[in-house]
Amino acid sequence: MNRDARILSGIQPTGKLHLGNYLGALKNWVALQDEFPHACYYCIVDLHAITAPYDPKELKTNVFDTALDFLAAGLDPDKAAIFIQSQVSEHSELAWLLNTITPIGMLERMTQYKDKKKKHVDHINAGLLNYPVLMAADILLYKATMVPVGDDQVQHLELTREIARKFNHSFGDVFPEPEPRLTRGARIMSLLAPDNKMSKSDTEKSYITLDEDPERIKNKLKKAVTDAGTSGELGPGAKNLLTIMEVVDPDAADRFAKDATEGQIRYSDLKMHLADKLGEYFAPFRERRRELAARPDTVWELLLDGTQQARRIASATFKEAKEKMGFI
Ligand code: TYM
């Protein structure tokens, strides 16, 4: 076991989390807190969330909802620090310092920036461009060695490594170069447009939230696109449903995959079986979430406690980086 491992990851508070967030990231976070207790830092990245149009009245509720999802999914505040990014001011401060060593050209080449620029034509702000620098600051402040994310974040991780290298080279060694940690569900696709990743910014019918009511799961899956692929292969929609099935019922996933190779697969059976299994799989999650929602004070206290743990590490690293850069 790597005793020096330090894990950091973050999720934007933009509403309830969906299956992509869970299978690509959160499920892995829970496994890592058990593998590396007291070495995991999990962050609700509210400063990132404001780079897209948002309603200030909803920000706090969204942070709370994300915290509920974290805890209901099994994150344990006794093993991992769970905190709110904006409550640890060193994130913004280090981001500023790192901005000064990050070439604009690299930021302009980021796929997510290019996609968001197309999506929010009336809201192309500097924060959107600098988003990956803030993400680098999130990671480097904790000297993280491992970052559990979905595959859409891998390019940002590469940039983080470049920034770390450049900083160490220019000012002296401070930051380790973090590695991404991906799962098999690193790219869960939209139910309605399975060539695109599942995303909260699409229509509600294209994703399943973790607390989704079983009847709604059924209705959404009924309408999921499962067009046949070329040359007898499974299409991207059916492949995506099988990837999800591998988590909730691996034996059934094998069975349906076998049916598919024999040309016997019935998509309606696949969908209904998956709906039942997803409903069962997330039943304890829904129950825990309901219980926690009834105890908001406990949830805010846990976040405060996590924030204090995060601050201790963040302030020490920030001091070190600032001194290396010549500040008093
Ligand atoms: P965000 O909030 O968009 O997504 C949170 C996590 O969920 C993963 N994810 C997916 N995985 C598989 N399939 C999908 N369809 C899918 N959609 C989302 C994302 O890869 C991510 O791991 N920039 C980050 C947040 C962030 C961060 C960080 C992450 C800020 N600072 C520091 C790691 C470390 C983001 O936008 O995630």
Side-chain angles (χ1 to χ4, degrees):
M1 177 173 126
N2 177 3
R3 288 185 194 287
D4 297 326
R6 176 75 62 73
I7 290 98
L8 179 127
S9 199
I11 289 186
Q12 299 188 68
T14 42
K16 291 176 177 177
L17 300 184
H18 56 63
L19 276 182
N21 299 131
Y22 180 74
L23 300 179
L26 193 51
K27 187 168 183 292
N28 219 1
W29 297 13
V30 177
L32 288 167
Q33 78 179 357
D34 294 327
E35 203 178 331
F36 304 106
H38 310 296
C40 297
Y41 292 79
Y42 296 134
C43 181
I44 300 175
V45 292
D46 50 353
L47 295 170
H48 279 107
I50 63 166
T51 56
Y54 78 105
D55 181 350
K57 287 197 235 48
E58 285 173 7
L59 191 56
K60 192 171 171 190
T61 317
N62 284 345
V63 167
F64 184 70
D65 263 331
T66 309
L68 288 183
D69 281 343
F70 280 12
L71 295 166
L75 286 191
D76 178 352
D78 287 335
K79 293 182 188 158
I82 304 167
F83 67 101
I84 305 173
Q85 181 191 37
S86 64
Q87 300 290 301
V88 183
S89 58
E90 286 86 353
H91 287 246
S92 316
E93 292 180 85
L94 182 63
W96 178 255
L97 301 187
L98 300 180
N99 265 323
T100 64
I101 58 164
T102 308
I104 290 183
M106 278 189 182
L107 297 176
E108 283 169 339
R109 279 198 293 279
M110 292 292 117
T111 315
Q112 284 214 331
Y113 171 65
K114 290 195 269 186
D115 290 349
K116 286 180 188 167
K117 227 170 96 172
K118 271 190 227 143
K119 215 169 210 164
H120 308 295
V121 266
D122 299 327
H123 200 81
I124 307 172
N125 59 84
L128 217 47
L129 180 69
N130 291 322
Y131 180 111
V133 184
L134 179 59
M135 180 165 160
D138 297 341
I139 296 167
L140 299 179
L141 260 187
Y142 299 86
K143 298 193 178 186
T145 54
M146 204 191 287
V147 183
V149 281
D151 87 348
D152 60 343
Q153 298 301 316
V154 169
Q155 197 187 29
H156 290 162
L157 252 284
E158 275 159 16
L159 179 72
T160 302
R161 292 159 61 84
E162 291 252 5
I163 294 176
R165 260 198 300 277
K166 189 148 181 206
F167 185 100
N168 293 342
H169 180 75
S170 309
F171 304 112
D173 272 353
V174 175
F175 302 120
E177 286 182 35
E179 298 284 345
R181 172 71 88 97
L182 301 182
T183 61
R184 283 174 66 75
R187 194 169 180 80
I188 298 297
M189 311 312 277
S190 152
L191 299 179
L192 295 183
D195 290 325
N196 303 330
K197 66 168 189 170
M198 185 176 280
S199 164
K200 201 94 54 67
S201 52
D202 290 338
T203 160
E204 237 188 87
K205 295 180 194 131
S206 69
Y207 60 82
I208 293 175
T209 61
L210 305 186
D211 71 341
E212 198 93 58
D213 174 77
E215 268 314 299
R216 281 170 57 96
I217 298 182
K218 217 165 251 171
N219 287 333
K220 286 187 177 182
L221 280 177
K222 257 187 207 156
K223 299 193 183 96
V225 170
T226 45
D227 289 342
T230 47
S231 61
E233 268 188 25
L234 278 186
K239 270 194 197 145
N240 189 42
L241 299 188
L242 278 186
T243 305
I244 301 170
M245 185 83 89
E246 275 170 27
V247 176
V248 294
D249 187 351
D251 291 341
D254 288 347
R255 266 197 325 272
F256 280 106
K258 188 164 164 282
D259 289 351
T261 51
E262 291 166 2
Q264 309 270 349
I265 188 161
R266 287 169 54 127
Y267 294 127
S268 53
D269 290 353
L270 169 67
K271 289 175 176 182
M272 285 310 98
H273 189 75
L274 182 58
D276 285 343
K277 288 294 161 179
L278 272 175
E280 275 171 32
Y281 186 89
F282 284 105
F285 173 96
R286 291 193 299 274
E287 183 57 33
R288 273 198 299 270
R289 199 179 193 287
R290 250 195 309 273
E291 283 166 19
L292 287 159
R295 292 187 290 132
D297 291 351
T298 312
V299 175
W300 289 117
E301 270 165 35
L302 292 176
L303 287 173
L304 189 62
D305 188 53
T307 300
Q308 275 155 359
Q309 293 174 49
R311 274 188 193 138
R312 276 197 289 279
I313 309 275
S315 63
T317 313
F318 183 61
K319 186 164 178 282
E320 198 186 339
K322 215 172 151 189
E323 279 172 9
K324 289 265 198 242
M325 287 183 80
F327 290 95
I328 47 164

